[in-house]
Amino acid sequence: MSHLYKHLRIHQVFGANTDVGKTIITTALVRASALNNNRVFYLKPVSTGAPQDADDGHIKRHAGPQKHLVDAHCLFRYGDPVSPHLAAKMASETQGVKVSVPSDETFVGSIAEHIRKRARAASLGAHMYVETAGGVHSPTLSGTTQLDSYRPLFLPTILIGDSKLGGISSTISSFESLLLRGYIIDAILLFRDEYYRNFEYLTQYFAERGIHVTALDPPPPRLDDPSENFANTEKYYSNLVPPSQQGDVFTALEHLNECHARRIQELDSMPRRTSDAIWWPFVQHGLVKTEKDVTVIDSAWSDFFSIYDASRERTSQPASLLQPQLDGSASWWTQAVGHGHPTLALAAANAAGRYGHVMFPQATHLPALKLAERLLQGPGKGWASRVFFSDNGSTGMEAALKMALRSFIVSSGLELSSAEKKNLGVIGLKGSYHGDTIGAMDACEEGVYACEWHEAKGYWFEPPTVSVRQGQVAVSLPPALSSLSGDQHQVAEAFETLSHVYDVEQRLESPLARHYRRYLEKHMRHLQADSSRKLAALVIEPIVMGAGGMIFVDPLFQRIMVDVVRDPTLFPTALPVIFDEVFVGLYRLGFESAGPLLGVSPDISVNAKILTGGVLPLAVTLASDRIFQAFNSESKVDALLHGHSYTAHAVGCQVANATLDMVGRLVESDQWLGAIRKWAPEGATSSRAWSFWDPKFIASISCLDIVDEAMTLGTVLAIKFKDDDAGYASHSAQTLLQSLRLPLEDGSSSAAPGGAPFGVHYRTLGNVAYFMSSLNTSRATIEALEERLWRLVSDVRRS
Amino acid sequence: MSHLYKHLRIHQVFGANTDVGKTIITTALVRASALNNNRVFYLKPVSTGAPQDADDGHIKRHAGPQKHLVDAHCLFRYGDPVSPHLAAKMASETQGVKVSVPSDETFVGSIAEHIRKRARAASLGAHMYVETAGGVHSPTLSGTTQLDSYRPLFLPTILIGDSKLGGISSTISSFESLLLRGYIIDAILLFRDEYYRNFEYLTQYFAERGIHVTALDPPPPRLDDPSENFANTEKYYSNLVPPSQQGDVFTALEHLNECHARRIQELDSMPRRTSDAIWWPFVQHGLVKTEKDVTVIDSAWSDFFSIYDASRERTSQPASLLQPQLDGSASWWTQAVGHGHPTLALAAANAAGRYGHVMFPQATHLPALKLAERLLQGPGKGWASRVFFSDNGSTGMEAALKMALRSFIVSSGLELSSAEKKNLGVIGLKGSYHGDTIGAMDACEEGVYACEWHEAKGYWFEPPTVSVRQGQVAVSLPPALSSLSGDQHQVAEAFETLSHVYDVEQRLESPLARHYRRYLEKHMRHLQADSSRKLAALVIEPIVMGAGGMIFVDPLFQRIMVDVVRDPTLFPTALPVIFDEVFVGLYRLGFESAGPLLGVSPDISVNAKILTGGVLPLAVTLASDRIFQAFNSESKVDALLHGHSYTAHAVGCQVANATLDMVGRLVESDQWLGAIRKWAPEGATSSRAWSFWDPKFIASISCLDIVDEAMTLGTVLAIKFKDDDAGYASHSAQTLLQSLRLPLEDGSSSAAPGGAPFGVHYRTLGNVAYFMSSLNTSRATIEALEERLWRLVSDVRRS
């Protein structure tokens, strides 16, 4: 991940094209840095072409009067003067043996290791230049293009502009490709060509965009005689970078130094400024005591944040001020394919460039239409006929509730008074959460998430739950459903595997199913007898209630709830069923939607979060034709009068389409199929319920003394700690896991990009610690987290 | 705007760099099109370099056996082989006279006119190629780069890839720059260079991205002898484009034809598919009778949609199937700087690439922090201390209400029961609208925008209003405030100019002010006596109530409302004041925030819509320190427990920052200062209240018989029609204005980019028609709309 050291300024040098003078201009910078009496490190990770032309050699030869301060290296060297991916291939062909091509991870790891070593060796004021090969998008050894390859390192960049004919275009396009990957571009340097005068145009163009441009004298033509050429070149450099330390190169150098200092100053100031200006959601500011309690996220890539930690500079071996931190809650359950994915950035930009936001009522545009159609063929398949757009899960649920209440009234043919309408009630489960707008809150019990106007409108059943206890998959009953009383839960049934629990059809005739049905029927009858609140909808988060504490509800219970509210002997008008799949849907738990698992379809469902790949807000409410028809008439006032300004914004829809494309490929990937196989019951190759987390790990951790139960599905792992025991076991999840936040400094290379030690950013819900990956998190990352969790939690037991 | 004809396929040819073979490959395509017996049009808008090298000449010479079918043109020709902007400059220098350089508008207009002429001359199966100069970002004559210059035409593109060393990079970067502007890229063509093998890499790279790549044999080296060179070149072309009509060029041609056919098919199918899959907001589907009632938006640029109209092909002179339509409601009041602005697309992409969405509670990142700080120095200046983020105006208002209710309770020290808390009430104005989530609805009266759970919690006063009637600026009183009864409003006071009405301080001691104060005090006392609903907040949309019907409230009345709820003799605990500035804020009405105009600050305010430049949803709730402190403690449950997954998403924050940068420059622009001067009272150069619309136009239209009143501030124009008269005047706004949707075909060049006739997309609110520009809409566009409105509305009077 990112590297940033107070004592060592690092810049990466990208070229707007090949042959634009990257090495010559870098040589000038190196020489100027050294003349300033700074230790200078030059790194050319990949060099192609004849050895005598190698860039690190050129740097060494022309490093100037202070050349003893200069250290120049190359990590991978190939003979053919072609693109690195091809040079590696050609070397392999000509040498008749396969030249091993490093993977992107190894490549970035080697560079990161080199930087870490130099950082340890350097003292205050050192500079480093990392020069790429070719243009910004020239392929590296693996074939990944330069700016995607180097992105995990997130070094601030210098772009060497193109001074030739056509160079304005390649310079601006390269700049935009860098911006698309989030790169910080501190300066553009190019040769001053007096005929094409690109520097004139570009200086003004980039001044308008706040980017510093420096034009430098071009080098003399190459001479045939090596010694004459050397002397001529040396003369060029000594004019360009004079001992007087005057001129454009030194101005540029000064600017780069300032950028470096400003960046650190800014990062340093961010906790204080944030504490002064921001009102965080769900945070008690009074409990945020020090600047260290504020996580400063400088950038993010894949599953990792890059966070600023000022204390790193004060360690005996100065480490990078920016450190990877695993995004252990998938940034509030939003991440699908990791942070900073260029495909999603491009999708966002493309829609912004083609449409911006355009008016949606009675209008249409391709991104929204395509998204709607694929959702009707995805989570809505077989039951939904319409897609309604809004901005987040909470507003998606408000629309769902408006749909359900109205369609219930229309279907039932009841003439209700205004007061009766206001008091329509929903059926749900204790622990439900549907968002923070007041209508969505009103579909939940009153509790911690309260506000003055919140009025719980309905009845909520306490659910039986699924978990792994002492290595055993089991369904537990709450007191209301069991023979036990008080807070105790009773294990009702044990299962061989998770897959068996989620085989709902198979369990429908079990004694437990009959018990559930009798219980629900009895209570529903009581509720219907209450004339103050007419029941009008069933509203559930299928499979897991997330915010309520990662409660894995027995799917059989939810299935029977749906069956009961559709039983005409109990409900003359079937209650509309809303599945709030904002958290669980779109493969967060390994399945696209919960309907097929439960064996029933909802009338209305809501998706958000993963929908837009963890980039920006968008929500959809899917509805069946029966629901839609309740609003369809010749009268405007019957319409669903709900809408937000940015309804179906093209940027969100396009990003969603790109996300679903990627997810579609992931679902078929070896990584997924492998994980599914691991969870398959003996003799089977597939599993109805499965997880990215290892079954043995879950079983083992559930056996620990301090663990009450553990559970996992798809990307989610939840560990519930006991909190009523004495001694170490009384640690709450929050206290127990605190050390996870700190990087594990055991000297080994980590699973983070570049191999730096990483801490884990996690969230707890009461006594439940949960962890969540993206849909493409590497097995290595998950294993690393499993190992850290195991060490930490099993250590407590042994203490 | 966009050009699309069924009978004429048009592609624009961009180059990944200069000298990549654009003209040679285009020649091959032209030749192949002609061999297919298609009429072919070639247009090189700008040509630089020696006349004998001109591309249109090359095309004509090598158009092949069917060259009589080929028409090749150049519109602007310069002698120096440099970038067009420089060529124009150099021509000016060498010729000693200033060569006039066409503006971007003229440039695009000339090309559009050329295309329209050719389209009229063409018959089914014709092809057109429009070849750009240099690379995608090479400057055109004005200095604007190619892809920004041509963007209003939105022609589907062919990118000519770069086959040289470094060409992989320039091809991919160029592709990304095109995508960023929303361009449709149908194919990439490049030479097959067997040494660098870029085509191999690029074919795979773009296959993964769904883009067709064709590699073609490179041309022979140029020979010195002109006739030998011609023969050699001709031989190359006849091999590349053989009379057999076989080979790669024909495959590419077939692909381009398919893309064209598919695009039209897709556009044709969109109304039906949309009617089948989408549930629109605020639309009664039962009233959308035909496919023609669905607006198909293919793209948008500046203030115009590009909409599909299949009927255009059936006219006697086939017009483009895509036509400009003025976005007359600024896409539900969101647009700030026009659609498809590349600066905002880049900002979105940059944040997506650097962060994606990152966890916000107790964390920070630069885009959110910078946005918060600038808002505190902008609309929050002098009173706000904190910024809370959410996703849209409605959720921003829900947060605001939660803040207000809690802080009122804390400040008052009252111990309220749960039932009393649920019944806390707000004071507002009749016609208020704060969004569609149920909490925001509950702060408004029950009315049309109803849903079952909506419960109006408060009391709403009928407001006095400001308008221009019969050319006179006046404040009118509702019956409750006047001596009249029934629906009649009484003109209470006439004013010389709008500026005088909005000089609230000056009016504070007027008789009307005393009247307002007495009235409000009396009613507030009554309301306080009602123990069932304790008053806890004042919630208003300052200056204008938008969704309620573009009601311009007398600012003096709102000022006195604020004064009254803060008067300790009436309210021992001042009521927190919420300004819902979602619609009115951030210069929609010409001012940044309403506080300075009213002479009072709120305790809480909400901004959204313009905030993100009309690209994607984001909202902010600003709060004073007093409000914040009501939630600040050592206990988690006291915190504001409200948050959405994508809270403070980096993409939205970065786009907002870029928008506010641009808006900051617009505010100082000549266009703004000119508009302000126009509205200044005699002798003054500035005006407290002003508009983009012309004062004389407003005065005139307000004098028409069918117009009840008109009003304008900033970008907003509202015209209220009379509806109780007989004859033509009984037309509702909706019926009266219907013809505005159709393009005005009077043969003149329109204000739309490219000069095509345009219709107007507008919305009405009951009897009020309103129109709204962006903050940078050209005077020409507004004038065009004023003229159309005037013709239409004054015609009715004369009939």
Side-chain angles (χ1 to χ4, degrees), chain A residues 137 143 169 176-177 201 273-275 284 289 364 373 386 398 402 436 438 609 634-635 643 645-646, chain B residues 137 143 169 176-177 201 273-275 284 289 364 373 386 398 402 436 438 609 634-635 643 645-646:
Chain A
H137 260 308
S169 183
E176 292 181 346
S177 290
Y201 184 91
R273 288 161 58 198
T274 300
S275 301
Q284 177 46 271
K289 302 289 188 190
T364 188
E373 289 178 335
R386 297 277 160 176
E398 296 249 347
K402 289 183 182 185
D436 296 325
I438 291 166
K609 295 193 195 283
E634 297 277 318
S635 166
S645 308
Y646 286 95
Chain B
H137 261 307
S169 182
E176 293 181 345
S177 290
Y201 184 91
R273 288 161 57 197
T274 301
S275 299
Q284 175 48 270
K289 303 289 186 190
T364 189
E373 289 177 334
R386 296 276 159 176
E398 296 250 347
K402 290 183 181 184
D436 296 325
I438 291 166
K609 295 192 196 285
E634 298 277 318
S635 166
S645 307
Y646 285 95

Side-chain angles (χ1 to χ4, degrees), chain B residues 167-182:
Chain B
I168 291 175
S169 182
S170 54
T171 305
I172 299 175
S173 279
S174 299
F175 165 78
E176 293 181 345
S177 290
L178 286 169
L179 274 190
L180 260 164
R181 271 81 185 168

Side-chain angles (χ1 to χ4, degrees), chain A residues 148-163:
Chain A
D148 283 327
S149 271
Y150 286 102
R151 173 61 182 78
L153 299 170
F154 201 66
L155 301 173
T157 66
I158 299 165
L159 175 63
I160 306 301
D162 187 344
S163 53

Side-chain angles (χ1 to χ4, degrees), chain B residues 287-302:
Chain B
L287 298 175
V288 183
K289 303 289 186 190
T290 70
E291 294 198 357
K292 278 181 72 76
D293 296 332
V294 181
T295 303
V296 176
I297 303 176
D298 181 61
S299 69
W301 194 78
S302 178

Side-chain angles (χ1 to χ4, degrees), chain B residues 44 52 60-61 109 116 230 355 515 665 696 777 796:
Chain B
K44 176 91 178 184
Q52 68 275 18
K60 279 179 191 157
R61 283 196 299 281
R116 276 193 292 269
F230 178 83
Y355 307 93
H515 179 51
R665 285 192 293 270
K696 291 193 196 78
T777 301
V796 172

Side-chain angles (χ1 to χ4, degrees), chain A residues 297 300 302-305 325-336 339 588 609-610 614-615 761-763 770 772-774, chain B residues 355-361 363 644-647:
Chain A
I297 303 177
S302 178
D303 296 306
F304 293 84
F305 301 138
Q325 190 180 46
L326 182 65
D327 179 7
S329 74
S331 279
W332 255 358
W333 321 354
T334 59
Q335 298 304 299
H339 295 274
R588 175 58 73 209
K609 295 193 195 283
I610 275 186
V615 176
H761 186 280
Y762 65 91
R763 304 274 296 179
Y770 70 86
M772 204 176 296
S773 73
S774 298
Chain B
Y355 307 93
H357 170 58
V358 294
M359 198 64 192
F360 196 61
H644 302 282
S645 307
Y646 285 95
T647 295

